[in-house]
Amino acid sequence: MSKRRRTIELVIKGVALATFAFAVAFAVYMVGIARYDVINLSDLTSATLTGYDGSGTLGVETEILPEYGAFFETVKVDILENDKTKNGELSNGDKLEIEYSYDKDLAKSLGLKVKGKKETVTVKDLPEATVISKDELFSGIIVETEGVAPMMTVNVVNNTTDEVLKTVEFSIVDPKECYDDGDVITIKASFDSETLAKYTYEIEGEGNSLTKDYTVSSKERYLTDISEVPDELLEEMKSKGATLFGTEPGDANEFGLRVFSDAGKMYSTEGTDYTFRFTTVSFISAYFACVTDEHIGEPGTHYNDVKVVYDTAISQNDGETVAAEAVVIFRNLIKKEDGSIEVNLDEGQIISVSRRDDQIKNLVRCTDDDTYVAVKFER
């Protein structure tokens, strides 16, 4: 064999060996690649922008592949802020970076090849904000009053038709049980600026609340002074009260037993029924009472009343009669917008009948009750 031929054979064998070695290496590489599932975090992560220009927020969410749940529990997507760009205060044109991190050892043990490089997101298409002024915000409320001054209750209702502003809560600062005509209340509007931003709303001012003062008004008020009771109305109450003393047997049964017992008199019945009735009624005196400031609005209290005292007598069918004094009360005299005074005469009622003059005086003078202050009519 010539030297040239031997040289050619050696070259061919060398190329063949090199080709075989490359093929083996490539096969080994492909086998290694085939051992891993490729997960591209960028493909599985979506970014969303909410809010409005100047107050935008970038949010990210990564889809979780159920078969690799344990791995995805370690995946973390960070939004990288800088001195000039803050998430929640984004404007169109701002840039933020997204960075992925995960448990690399766990990924390897699960046979995962993970891709996910740092990415840059450019803020765009954020809309202009709908700016709500303080006056606009409070224009949607109704301040409801119920009752008569100075015992009114106040309620604030958000009556806006704007679906976003319906989320604003309004409340009275330092609320009271009762309010008078002319009282100034402070109403607070509370809202979540981040929630409003999602709907491109911005409320002027700082923080998550605003306040505004309102004056409580009423067209009616309770009488507070005896001088406000007209003579004509007092006469009507005296006359109406006298009609409450029924003269038919049984009309005075509510009071007869006690009056007769206090007098040491025996009482009789017809069958099983008592026959107590009033026989005479005549006016003695009248008093005006008004609740004290510290007791206004307490449960069971009324604001004012007129108590009319009568001389009367109770008898029963056997002819036995006992003299007594009685009190009729008319509650809550009101001054109307036109200046007239009103009281419901039909609500007058007998509240006490007694032989003891001291009991009657204590009742009408409020001697033992500091809830009210009473003054006698000198007319």
Side-chain angles (χ1 to χ4, degrees):
M1 181 181 298
S2 68
K3 184 176 182 181
R4 182 177 178 180
R5 183 176 180 183
R6 187 180 299 113
T7 300
I8 290 174
E9 287 180 352
L10 290 174
V11 170
I12 291 175
K13 288 181 180 180
V15 170
L17 288 172
T19 301
F20 175 76
F22 174 78
V24 170
F26 181 76
V28 170
Y29 171 77
M30 292 303 295
V31 169
I33 289 295
R35 289 180 57 244
Y36 290 89
D37 284 338
V38 178
I39 292 179
N40 192 328
L41 294 177
S42 298
D43 292 342
L44 296 173
T45 301
S46 58
T48 57
L49 282 167
T50 57
Y52 51 86
D53 191 16
S55 188
T57 300
L58 176 67
V60 292
E61 184 175 359
T62 301
E63 179 185 351
I64 296 176
L65 301 180
E67 60 269 32
Y68 298 117
F71 165 74
F72 277 94
E73 288 181 2
T74 72
V75 174
K76 185 178 180 181
V77 185
D78 292 318
I79 300 173
L80 306 181
E81 298 179 340
N82 54 59
D83 293 339
K84 295 182 179 180
T85 306
K86 301 293 184 183
N87 201 16
E89 302 175 4
L90 300 178
S91 300
N92 288 326
D94 287 346
K95 296 180 184 296
L96 284 175
E97 288 186 322
I98 296 176
E99 186 175 57
Y100 303 96
S101 61
Y102 54 89
D103 188 328
K104 295 181 180 179
D105 291 336
L106 178 61
K108 184 176 181 181
S109 67
L110 294 174
L112 299 178
K113 186 174 183 63
V114 181
K115 296 181 180 180
K117 297 181 179 179
K118 185 183 294 185
E119 301 176 53
T120 299
V121 176
T122 300
V123 178
K124 62 180 181 179
D125 297 330
L126 285 174
E128 292 295 322
T130 300
V131 181
I132 305 297
S133 69
K134 178 178 177 178
D135 288 340
E136 288 176 315
L137 178 63
F138 282 89
S139 67
I141 69 172
I142 297 176
V143 180
E144 298 179 333
T145 59
E146 185 175 348
V148 179
M151 295 181 69
M152 293 187 295
T153 58
V154 178
N155 185 41
V156 182
V157 179
N158 185 348
N159 198 47
T160 182
T161 57
D162 188 299
E163 293 298 324
V164 177
L165 295 183
K166 284 181 179 180
T167 63
V168 178
E169 295 183 359
F170 294 90
S171 60
I172 299 174
V173 178
D174 298 327
K176 302 190 300 182
E177 291 291 334
C178 297
Y179 294 88
D180 195 0
D181 181 45
D183 281 352
V184 177
I185 61 174
T186 300
I187 298 177
K188 180 180 179 181
S190 302
F191 46 85
D192 185 343
S193 297
E194 292 184 3
T195 298
L196 295 178
K198 293 179 181 179
Y199 299 99
T200 71
Y201 274 56
E202 178 183 1
I203 295 177
E204 290 182 345
E206 298 292 331
N208 289 315
S209 65
L210 289 175
T211 60
K212 187 173 183 179
D213 290 342
Y214 282 79
T215 300
V216 178
S217 63
S218 173
K219 297 179 179 179
E220 300 178 344
R221 68 175 297 107
Y222 289 117
L223 301 193
T224 58
D225 192 273
I226 192 171
S227 63
E228 297 177 287
V229 182
D231 292 341
E232 299 81 5
L233 182 58
L234 178 59
E235 291 301 318
E236 288 183 40
M237 288 186 283
K238 288 160 59 175
S239 298
K240 179 65 176 180
T243 67
L244 302 179
F245 297 87
T247 58
E248 296 296 321
D251 285 349
N253 282 354
E254 181 181 351
F255 309 101
L257 283 175
R258 180 175 179 180
V259 170
F260 269 61
S261 295
D262 286 347
K265 300 290 186 178
M266 297 295 295
Y267 37 84
S268 63
T269 61
E270 287 189 1
T272 58
D273 297 327
Y274 296 105
T275 60
F276 296 112
R277 58 190 173 88
F278 295 101
T279 57
T280 60
V281 179
S282 60
F283 171 76
I284 298 177
S285 61
Y287 290 77
F288 176 82
C290 187
V291 69
T292 57
D293 290 344
E294 57 267 30
H295 293 289
I296 291 177
E298 288 183 355
T301 61
H302 52 275
Y303 193 80
N304 62 41
D305 65 63
V306 170
K307 298 183 184 77
V308 185
V309 185
Y310 299 89
D311 193 7
T312 187
I314 296 178
S315 67
Q316 57 187 5
N317 281 359
D318 64 0
E320 190 73 60
T321 300
V322 177
E325 293 178 359
V327 179
V328 173
I329 190 171
F330 297 92
R331 296 180 177 90
N332 291 331
L333 286 74
I334 298 172
K335 186 173 184 178
K336 309 292 284 186
E337 184 180 14
D338 61 4
S340 62
I341 308 300
E342 179 182 275
V343 65
N344 191 338
L345 295 174
D346 291 333
E347 291 184 354
Q349 65 178 125
I350 302 171
I351 59 171
S352 180
V353 180
S354 176
R355 295 188 69 254
R356 296 179 56 182
D357 181 65
D358 61 325
Q359 287 186 344
I360 297 298
K361 287 180 178 178
N362 287 341
L363 174 62
V364 297
R365 295 173 181 175
C366 303
T367 305
D368 300 324
D369 184 2
D370 65 356
T371 304
Y372 302 92
V373 173
V375 181
K376 184 179 179 180
F377 283 95
E378 300 291 350
R379 303 179 186 177

